[in-house]
Amino acid sequence: MRAKVVITGLGALTPIGNTVEEFWENLKKGVSGIAKVTKFDVSEFSTKIAGEVKGFDPYQYLDKKEARRMDISEQYSIATAQQAFDDAKINTSNLDPYKAGVLIGSGIGGIETFEKQHTILLKGGPSRVSPFFIPMMIIDMSAGLVSMRFGFKGPNYATVSACATSAHAIADAFMLIQRGSADLMIAGGSEASITPTSLAGFCSARAISTRNDQPEKASRPFDQKRDGFVMSEGSGMLILESLDHAKKRGAKIYAEIVGVGMSADAYHITAPSPQGEGAAKSMQMALLDSGLTPEDVDYINSHGTATPLGDISETLAIKKVFAEKAYKIPVNATKSMIGHLLGAAGAVELVALLKSMEEKVLHPTINYEFPDPKCDLDYVPNQAREAKIEVAISNSFGFGGHNITITLKKFRE
């Protein structure tokens, strides 16, 4: 029999808040975290805006020597893992370390370190490259560093599936606990990819918004005047436990994960399948895995990136799965306020979903001003709304055609 899996701790670092509480309060208020890039000169870039983390102090979580030896994406992982660990009130003396694991993904990993060290190589030669270059750059090191911090010796690795990365990490952690390979997992994602090369690449691909004169209005999922997503950075982390393990230690339970669904579009390197077949399949599989039906779902936290094709595809997919009920289910887009955290997006959006469940409030999709006839669902436009949520799903889709849906249910004794 598969173990039940619950969520007992949350951590978040985002463009609108460096804690879960700050992030959630600003989500409810409809605050945008998008502004002109401050990390480097963007005068020659077609896009000059992004969702940067603001006022992050790594020394809240790390000493100076540790921090210097980590890429900022790793610092973000440590910060949110510590937040989630503290929120879950974990006492490591009562844990079996081999049944406690870490699964943290990133779409790009230590790209800032890579760019800096490559410049050093070109200017000063190979002897000038840092001995910490490799561990600061590689994607799996966040999981390694977090496991060292807490002494967790169970399953430990990284997932990489572009914008679906952290949702896949959480799904894997869920399945590891279900099968008994772990009692407790820290799972999520981290991204710190607002760098010259990354921004230039997305500019060249014409995937991101160029609404530079109104950055706070640039991320506009499902709106007819959307013109691409907004790059962002940050991290989201969750503590997952078997229900038995959580109950034995008297943990607060946010919700139960009851199913996951995964699929591939097998269509295009960046564009979604036009009719949303892959996205629909991931939602259908997540419901099947959970033993629930479309009628049971009260809320959808969408992938909702504000790309012209992606928002239409996701809307079509929701209609395929939910038929007429699609028009009655609220479907909001966290990215309207925080932009697209790439590999960290799924985890951060799950944090938003869980807070919605807890407080019975749906955050708005801001910048929804011009309805698109092809995107005609209830996107919770511009104002937060009270809502009772028993069952919800979260969608994450990535370049390469990766689709994942996670189904959550309010925990009942």
Side-chain angles (χ1 to χ4, degrees):
M1 185 167 173
R2 300 192 302 185
K4 289 190 173 185
V5 181
V6 295
I7 297 165
T8 58
L10 307 177
L13 184 61
T14 78
I16 59 169
N18 294 353
T19 65
V20 170
E21 291 73 22
E22 189 181 5
F23 166 57
W24 175 238
E25 288 305 311
N26 282 325
L27 276 182
K28 288 188 290 185
K29 293 174 188 173
V31 174
S32 172
I34 311 306
K36 185 176 179 181
V37 172
T38 63
K39 291 174 179 282
F40 52 91
D41 181 8
V42 290
S43 57
E44 294 185 14
F45 290 75
S46 57
T47 290
K48 307 178 193 304
I49 57 174
E52 295 178 331
V53 168
K54 302 160 186 72
F56 172 66
D57 179 8
Y59 306 130
Q60 281 186 266
Y61 305 94
L62 297 158
D63 64 37
K64 289 186 178 181
K65 185 177 180 181
E66 287 178 312
R68 281 198 308 269
R69 294 177 175 181
M70 292 183 193
D71 182 79
I72 192 167
S73 65
E74 295 166 347
Q75 294 175 4
Y76 288 174
S77 292
I78 292 287
T80 51
Q82 187 67 58
Q83 289 177 21
F85 183 92
D86 293 344
D87 184 39
K89 296 180 171 58
I90 295 168
N91 181 349
T92 54
S93 65
N94 296 329
L95 290 182
D96 177 350
Y98 292 97
K99 297 295 288 273
V102 184
L103 233 168
I104 300 172
S106 181
I108 302 176
I111 184 71
E112 182 178 285
T113 294
F114 193 104
E115 289 185 27
K116 288 178 178 177
Q117 293 300 313
H118 185 251
T119 300
I120 289 169
L121 171 68
L122 295 180
K123 289 183 177 178
S127 65
R128 305 299 298 170
V129 171
S130 169
F132 297 101
F133 168 49
I134 300 301
M136 289 172 73
M137 176 197 69
I138 54 180
I139 288 172
D140 69 296
M141 196 52 65
S142 279
L145 289 166
V146 170
S147 74
M148 294 173 213
R149 186 178 184 90
F150 299 119
F152 289 3
K153 298 179 179 180
N156 186 272
Y157 59 97
T159 52
V160 183
S161 52
C163 312
T165 291
S166 56
H168 274 120
I170 291 160
D172 276 15
F174 163 70
M175 291 185 285
L176 285 166
I177 295 170
Q178 270 194 328
R179 62 174 284 170
S181 296
D183 294 328
L184 180 150
M185 295 288 296
I186 298 176
S190 184
E191 206 76 85
S193 58
I194 301 173
T195 69
T197 304
S198 297
L199 183 59
F202 280 122
C203 285
S204 294
R206 298 182 181 179
I208 52 179
S209 174
T210 56
R211 196 183 286 260
N212 299 313
D213 56 337
Q214 290 181 303
E216 71 284 353
K217 290 186 173 291
S219 186
R220 40 199 317 116
F222 306 107
D223 183 85
Q224 191 169 31
K225 295 194 176 183
R226 66 192 182 276
D227 69 330
F229 71 85
V230 177
M231 277 185 75
S232 293
E233 63 175 354
S235 179
M237 223 62 71
L238 283 70
I239 304 291
L240 279 64
E241 295 184 62
S242 72
L243 177 59
D244 287 347
H245 190 269
K247 289 175 77 171
K248 279 177 186 173
R249 65 181 196 86
K252 172 186 174 178
I253 294 173
Y254 282 97
E256 181 184 356
I257 300 181
V258 289
V260 298
M262 294 175 266
S263 70
D265 285 348
Y267 173 74
H268 189 271
I269 56 173
T270 57
S273 178
Q275 299 303 311
E277 293 94 340
K281 191 66 176 176
S282 75
M283 286 185 269
Q284 288 165 344
M285 292 170 72
L287 290 173
L288 182 65
D289 188 43
S290 66
L292 299 170
T293 71
E295 286 300 313
D296 296 316
V297 176
D298 301 309
Y299 160 51
I300 300 170
N301 186 284
S302 71
H303 186 57
T305 58
T307 57
L309 296 178
D311 289 1
I312 294 171
S313 177
E314 186 170 10
T315 297
L316 288 170
I318 291 168
K319 290 177 183 179
K320 281 181 191 292
V321 176
F322 293 94
E324 284 303 309
K325 199 197 172 187
Y327 294 96
K328 300 174 185 175
I329 304 174
V331 181
N332 64 4
T334 309
K335 292 180 183 74
S336 64
M337 286 170 274
I338 63 173
H340 196 343
L341 274 69
L342 308 178
V348 169
E349 288 159 18
L350 272 175
V351 170
L353 186 157
L354 289 158
K355 293 300 291 183
S356 293
M357 228 177 216
E358 181 183 41
E359 294 196 9
K360 301 177 183 176
V361 175
L362 298 173
H363 72 68
T365 300
I366 68 167
N367 299 322
Y368 188 81
E369 298 172 316
F370 303 96
D372 182 345
K374 294 182 180 178
C375 297
D376 57 350
L377 302 179
D378 174 8
Y379 302 112
V380 195
N382 304 313
Q383 295 290 329
R385 181 190 304 170
E386 292 184 3
K388 184 180 177 184
I389 306 162
E390 290 289 325
V391 175
I393 65 172
S394 180
N395 287 330
S396 294
F397 313 132
F399 280 4
H402 315 295
N403 306 304
I404 176 165
T405 302
I406 299 176
T407 308
L408 295 104
K409 186 176 181 181
K410 194 168 185 67
F411 177 71
R412 303 287 185 193
E413 289 283 359

